[in-house]
Every structure is written in structure tokens, then in C-alpha cells.
Amino acid sequence: MEAVNQIIQFIKQLFSWWFIVTPWEQAVFVRLGKNIKVLHGGFYFKVPFIDQVYLQSIRLRAIDMPIQTISTKDGKTITIKSVMNYAINDIYKLYNTISHPDTTLSAIVMSKIADYIMAHNRCDINIQVLECDVIKELERIDYGLNKISFKITSWAEVKTLRLIQDQSWSFEGLDLKNTVK
């Protein structure tokens, strides 16, 4: 069945001589791997197997960051949830600076948050300063983005419990029921 799908895709590619870029997209058009053009909304022709087209929406995007649990300089544990918004301004610059924008930007933001939290004591952490630092970090290198915003949506100081996976504590006579409150 997979072979049939590959044959159908090959035939579709043979007869795919045109493409459309919608008004809310930009496209990078590459001919023979070296001639590069940025295309805006419209109807375009391409030669199969010679031309490659990479379409990208330029509308506002939101990245919902995963929850981060980070220890402060004074040993307190902080759990943070955040969101980042951005739009693509220059697709050529974006394609020439980063790969997989959502994943890359998420990693940059999360590492900046971790650096800030680990360098400060709990009482010295300022959310507004952290948010500004993250935005400055994203604007420091021009990725071809605009409308960049970042917001911490949830913040909590938590206690962590770490249990040993192999339960070796049970053989040493430890009673966890009396230690956990």
C-alpha cells in the first residue's frame, strides 16, 4: 500500500506546475538549490523536481511553553508556565537563521527563564524584569520576526518530593508515610 501512495505522490508532483500563495502567507522559492526568491500572495508557476517552494503563514502565532520547574539560587523551587507570541516579518531571514521556529524559540525562551531564575534568590525575582529580559533576548538577534510578546501566565513556589524509582528506601527501613506532610 505504501508503494502505491509513493507512486501517486510522484505522479501528482509530475503534474504540479503551479501553486498559490495566499495573502496571509509568504513563500521561499528555490530553483536548483541556489536561486532564492521570496514570494507574496499570488499565483505562481514552478517546474517539478527543479523548483522547491516552502510556504509559511505570516499571521500571529502563539507558543504555549511547557511547564518549567526551576530551583532558585537560595534553593526554592519555582514552577512557571508561559506563552510567547510572534509573527513572521521576513521569511527569507527566518529560513536563513533558524530551523523549526516554534521549537527553537521555545528553547531560547525556556533557557533564558532558567538562567534568570537560577541566578536570583526567590525574594529578588521580578516577573516584569524577567519578561523584558526574554523579549530583549529574542530581539537581540534578528530572526525576521515582529510582534514579539512574552508573558508568564502562571507562577508558583512549590515543594518537591523525589522518590527513588527502585524503592530501595523500603529495604532500609525508611517510613515515608511519617515523613511526608
Side-chain angles (χ1 to χ4, degrees), residues 63-70 79-84 102-103 105-107 109-110 113 150 153-154:
I63 303 174
D64 191 21
M65 305 289 172
I67 294 173
Q68 276 183 276
T69 302
I70 309 160
T79 298
I80 295 179
K81 181 82 171 122
S82 58
V83 66
M84 179 194 159
D102 286 359
T103 306
L105 293 171
S106 180
V109 168
M110 291 176 70
I113 292 170
F150 172 76
T153 57
S154 180

Side-chain angles (χ1 to χ4, degrees), residues 63-163:
I63 303 174
D64 191 21
M65 305 289 172
I67 294 173
Q68 276 183 276
T69 302
I70 309 160
S71 294
T72 62
K73 190 176 181 181
D74 58 354
K76 306 285 186 200
T77 304
I78 306 292
T79 298
I80 295 179
K81 181 82 171 122
S82 58
V83 66
M84 179 194 159
N85 298 310
Y86 73 95
I88 297 171
N89 184 42
D90 184 348
I91 193 169
Y92 183 77
K93 197 173 283 185
L94 178 73
Y95 270 70
N96 281 308
T97 54
I98 60 177
S99 179
H100 305 289
D102 286 359
T103 306
T104 305
L105 293 171
S106 180
I108 291 168
V109 168
M110 291 176 70
S111 66
K112 187 64 178 175
I113 292 170
D115 289 346
Y116 181 87
I117 298 292
M118 289 187 298
H120 291 83
N121 290 324
R122 165 61 185 99
C123 60
D124 298 331
I125 295 173
N126 184 325
I127 298 295
Q128 289 80 19
V129 171
L130 174 56
E131 290 172 346
C132 288
D133 283 354
V134 168
I135 291 172
K136 285 178 189 173
E137 178 69 20
L138 292 169
E139 292 174 342
R140 186 176 60 80
I141 300 173
D142 188 6
Y143 296 117
L145 306 176
N146 65 357
K147 300 179 185 172
I148 298 171
S149 67
F150 172 76
K151 191 74 175 165
I152 292 177
T153 57
S154 180
W155 163 281
E157 183 178 335
V158 295
K159 289 185 179 183
T160 58
L161 293 174
R162 298 181 193 252
L163 297 177

Side-chain angles (χ1 to χ4, degrees), residues 12-27:
K12 282 173 83 175
Q13 195 170 10
L14 272 177
F15 295 105
S16 178
W17 287 78
W18 57 275
F19 63 98
I20 296 173
V21 179
T22 57
W24 51 86
E25 292 178 325
Q26 285 184 356

Side-chain angles (χ1 to χ4, degrees), residues 27-46:
V28 175
F29 181 85
V30 182
R31 175 158 286 165
L32 295 171
K34 54 185 170 184
N35 298 332
I36 301 170
K37 283 194 257 182
V38 174
L39 305 175
H40 301 278
F43 181 83
Y44 299 95
F45 290 99
K46 70 174 186 150

